[in-house]
Structures are given as structure tokens and as C-alpha cells.
């Protein structure tokens, strides 16, 4: 059985750990005898941060007759999914970045992506008492959408978005931007990558800001928490998966697989995403006792799930439902709430908080 994985190693912020998570899970599954007696052969392809190369990778996957692509990590979901649609090949657990990742009939994202995490972060701030929330994001098309997502997360609350401050990626100093979001707000939502988010938090703290601050889990890896030191205390965090620090059976297996098969790779939300994509596929195929791994059959099986238990890293998965556009494939519209306490990420509660994007 062949499985495809399309990744990006040429991006400004490459995430090779996504592939590492996929590889670690597959190696353990094969060591245990494969899926219903069939071992997995992984075919990887680098899209080289280019839409045309991404489409070529997808065409290769179709040509090689892969059962599915699993854990794709690319900025060019539209290019990939349009090819996979024509070939009738499922994309399971891809990192959802583009609109097509939530709309394609062959897409099975296992998380709410940045849209859901930003919406969740706004909802988390409101749950902690914030009523006037200011947003800061990278000055980019994706960053400009943060206000839309935050408003979606606040729809059922009395909290409001004060405004969105877009910060140029090349800005040498964040002090003026930090002052803008601090003015008149009692909650601040930062939608940036870890380096920028860390600098922004430091600028806020240096200016004496005391507001609640929320970020997505990818923005506060352990290395960033260490660098921030005391400034990280109390930061609110949304996670699309059960955080590694929160334990659980799936995280225990994930950590064991990473230690055994990818010991040098980072253990973070991106390697979690690759790992859980494989784990979900394997659990589904074993539960249904599948022996026909043709792309068409895998696509049918993946689209027939109802409250399927894929482990405790993600909530139960239902795919046999019709969701409204433009998020037709938003099967996991939930995140977990956490905060940084004494240098560690700790769950606020054990709930999956949903209803984020409508």
C-alpha cells in the first residue's frame, strides 16, 4: 500500500517535523505488521514553496496510485487538492491553510486550523473576562482575516473586537504597535509566528501592559516560553490537539514513536499533526477491517464516519455530514484552552470548545 505526503522545505519557516510525525507513526505501524496485514510505503514529495511544484507532487501521488495523501503540509492546498479531486484521492489530516482545505470533497482536515485557533483564542479571552479585545497580526492576506475569525469566535459572547493592527514582518521595533493594541483594550489576541509573537509579548510587557493575552499554540513552543521567562506567565493558548504537556494515551504513543523513530525532530503541534493523521487513517481502516485500499474505497470509508474515536489527541470525528459553505469540510470545529503556568503549558479544563467558525 502506498501513502503520499507533500511537504514544504523551502518556505521561510519550513516545518519538517510534520513529515517526521508521519514517518514515525508509519514506522511503528509497519513494525507491528501494518494495517490488516498490509505494510505502508511512504512516497514523499517537496513542493519547494512553489504552486506548480505542489501540483506536480499531487500528480505524482495520483500516478503512483496512492491510497491517500496523509499529513500534507503545504501553502498550496488549492493546487494540490484540485489535482487530487480529479484523481479521486483523499487528503487526510493536511495542515489547513487555504480555503480549499476546508471545501474540497477529498479533504479531511483533522483540526480547525488557524481560523479555528484565532476564533478560539477570542472565545478564550471572553471566557476569562475580556470584553474589549484588540488584535495584532502579521501584515499579510492571512493576517488580515484574523478580525473575521475573532468575530466568529465572539458571536455568542458580549465581548467585542476593538480593531486589528497589522504589523509588517520586517518591522524593527514593535513598541508603537504594542501601544496601539494596549490602548483601551482588556484583552489582546496575537496572531503571529513564534519569533514575532515572542517579540510582541515582550514589547507589551515592557510597556507595562496588564491585559490578558491570547495566542495559538504554535506561537509559544517551549523554546519561546523559556526565552520569555516571567513574561510568559498567564499567557492564554488555544491548541487544535490535546497539548503534549497534557498527557493522554495518544500523546504517550506519539512521544514513544518520536523517540524511537524520529528522536531529533521537534515534538510540537506540527509533528503531532502528521502523527495523528496517520493514526486516524490506521484506526479507521482497522476498525472497518478494510482490505481494499484503492483510492476510491479509502475516500468512501473516510467519508462515512460518525463519532469515530481516533484517540484522545482529537475529538470524535464525524465526516458523514453536510456542512455549510465555505467550510464544508470543517469536521473538527473545536480547540482546547490552556495557559502558561510556571513555564509549562497547562489545560484550563478538559473540554473541547467548539462552535468557533460558522
Amino acid at each position: 500500500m502506498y501513502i503520499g505526503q507533500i511537504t514544504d522545505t523551502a518556505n521561510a519557516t519550513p516545518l519538517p517535523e510534520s513529515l517526521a510525525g508521519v514517518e514515525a507513526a508509519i514506522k511503528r505501524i509497519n513494525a507491528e505488521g501494518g494495517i490488516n496485514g498490509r505494510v505502508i510505503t511512504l512516497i514523499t514529495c517537496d513542493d519547494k514553496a512553489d504552486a506548480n511544484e505542489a501540483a506536480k507532487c499531487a500528480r505524482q501521488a495520483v500516478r503512483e496510485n496512492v491510497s491517500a495523501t496523509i499529513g500534507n503540509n503545504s501553502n498550496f492546498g488549492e493546487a494540490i487538492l484540485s489535482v487530487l479531486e480529479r484523481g479521486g484521492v483523499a487528503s487526510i489530516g493536511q495542515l489547513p491553510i487555504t480555503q480549499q482545505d476546508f471545501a474540497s470533497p477529498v479533504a479531511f482536515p483533522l483540526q480547525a486550523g488557524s481560523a479555528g485557533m484565532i476564533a478560539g483564542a477570542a472565545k478564550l479571552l471572553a471566557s476569562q473576562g475580556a470584553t474589549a479585545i484588540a488584535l495584532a497580526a502579521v501584515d499579510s492576506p492571512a493576517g488580515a482575516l484574523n478580525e473575521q475569525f475573532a468575530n466568529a469566535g465572539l458571536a455568542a459572547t458580549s465581548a467585542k473586537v476593538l480593531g486589528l493592527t497589522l504589523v509588517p514582518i520586517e518591522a524593527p521595533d514593535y513598541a508603537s504597535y504594542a501601544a496601539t493594541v494596549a490602548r483601551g483594550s482588556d484583552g489582546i489576541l496575537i496572531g503571529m509566528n513564534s519569533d514575532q509573537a515572542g517579540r510582541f509579548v515582550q514589547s507589551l510587557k515592557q510597556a507595562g501592559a496588564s491585559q490578558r493575552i491570547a495566542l495559538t499554540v504554535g506561537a509559544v513552543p517551549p523554546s519561546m516560553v523559556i526565552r520569555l521567562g516571567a513574561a510568559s506567565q498567564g499567557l492564554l493558548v488555544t491548541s487544535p490537539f490535546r497539548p503534549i504537556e497534557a498527557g493522554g494515551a495518544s500523546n504517550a504513543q506519539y512521544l514513544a514513536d518520536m523517540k524511537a523513530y524520529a528522536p531529533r525532530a521537534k515534538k510540537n503541534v506540527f509533528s503531532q499533526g502528521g502523527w495523528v493523521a496517520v493514526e486516524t487513517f490506521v484506526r479507521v481502516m482497522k476498525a472497518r477491517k478494510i482490505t481494499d485500499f484503492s483510492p476510491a474505497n479509502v475516500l468512501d470509508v473516510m467519508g462515512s464516519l460518525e463519532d469515530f474515536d481516533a484517540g484522545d489527541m482529537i475529538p470524535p470525528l464525524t465526516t458523514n455530514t453536510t456542512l455549510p459553505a465555505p467550510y464544508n469540510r470543517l469536521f473538527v470545529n473545536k480547540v482546547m484552552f490552556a495557559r502558561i503556568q510556571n513555564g509549562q503549558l497547562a489545560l484550563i479544563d478538559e473540554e473541547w470548545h467548539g462552535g468557533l467558525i460558522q
Side-chain angles (χ1 to χ4, degrees):
M1 177 202 332
Y2 294 98
I3 293 297
Q5 202 271 355
I6 301 170
T7 196
D8 175 3
T9 62
N11 190 16
T13 54
L15 299 169
E17 51 266 42
S18 296
L19 175 57
V22 169
E23 290 177 326
I26 287 176
K27 287 177 180 178
R28 187 252 307 169
I29 295 300
N30 283 342
E32 294 174 347
I35 307 175
N36 302 330
R38 298 282 296 277
V39 297
I40 301 170
T41 298
L42 180 64
I43 299 174
T44 63
C45 188
D46 186 349
D47 72 14
K48 303 174 184 175
D50 181 272
N52 291 326
E53 290 293 329
K56 284 173 62 177
C57 286
R59 287 194 292 271
Q60 177 188 353
V62 173
R63 187 171 60 250
E64 297 281 357
N65 197 37
V66 300
S67 298
T69 63
I70 297 183
N72 292 341
N73 175 22
S74 172
N75 286 314
F76 304 103
E78 292 183 5
I80 292 168
L81 288 165
S82 62
V83 174
L84 296 183
E85 284 178 29
R86 292 194 295 272
V89 176
S91 174
I92 302 169
Q94 78 276 14
L95 180 64
I97 297 173
T98 70
Q99 185 63 61
Q100 195 70 0
D101 288 311
F102 290 115
S104 171
V106 300
F108 296 90
L110 300 178
Q111 57 164 297
S114 59
M117 284 195 286
I118 293 296
K123 189 172 184 176
L124 172 54
L125 282 167
S127 75
Q128 298 298 303
T131 59
I133 298 171
L135 313 179
V138 176
D139 190 358
S140 67
L145 293 173
N146 280 15
E147 186 166 5
Q148 172 188 330
F149 299 145
N151 279 322
L154 296 176
T157 77
S158 60
K160 302 296 181 185
V161 171
L162 291 182
L164 169 64
T165 298
L166 294 174
V167 182
I169 194 168
E170 70 278 3
D173 182 73
Y174 286 179
S176 62
Y177 302 103
T180 298
V181 299
R183 192 175 302 119
S185 65
D186 60 7
I188 297 171
L189 196 167
I190 302 173
M192 300 176 177
N193 66 29
S194 60
D195 288 339
Q196 292 169 306
R199 289 175 58 199
F200 205 87
V201 169
Q202 288 176 327
S203 294
L204 286 168
K205 296 297 185 179
Q206 288 168 0
S210 59
Q211 292 94 330
R212 302 166 184 85
I213 300 172
L215 311 93
T216 63
V217 70
V220 282
S223 59
M224 180 56 63
V225 173
I226 291 171
R227 286 203 295 272
L228 285 173
S232 70
Q233 181 70 13
L235 292 177
L236 301 171
V237 181
T238 54
S239 177
F241 308 125
R242 184 177 180 85
I244 298 168
E245 297 87 344
S250 292
N251 273 321
Q253 185 64 67
Y254 154 77
L255 289 172
D257 290 351
M258 295 297 286
K259 181 179 180 180
Y261 301 110
R264 296 185 178 181
K266 293 179 181 178
K267 285 78 170 174
N268 58 22
V269 68
F270 302 107
S271 53
Q272 271 187 307
W275 183 91
V276 78
V278 175
E279 181 71 6
T280 299
F281 171 72
V282 171
R283 282 179 177 243
V284 170
M285 297 301 121
K286 285 186 173 182
R288 297 293 179 86
K289 297 180 170 58
I290 300 301
T291 57
D292 174 6
F293 292 98
S294 65
N297 194 51
V298 168
L299 188 59
D300 285 344
V301 172
M302 288 302 302
S304 66
L305 306 179
E306 184 169 356
D307 287 328
F308 184 82
D309 180 7
D312 59 4
M313 193 179 284
I314 61 174
L317 183 62
T318 295
T319 62
N320 65 350
T321 184
T322 300
L323 300 171
Y327 296 98
N328 314 60
R329 314 291 286 183
L330 184 57
F331 301 124
V332 183
N333 190 17
K334 299 178 180 180
V335 296
M336 298 198 90
F337 290 171
R339 64 162 52 91
I340 305 295
Q341 293 180 330
N342 301 319
Q344 297 291 324
L345 188 67
L347 286 178
I348 291 175
D349 55 41
E350 287 284 340
E351 299 296 318
W352 285 99
H353 297 269
L356 306 175
I357 301 293
Q358 305 297 328

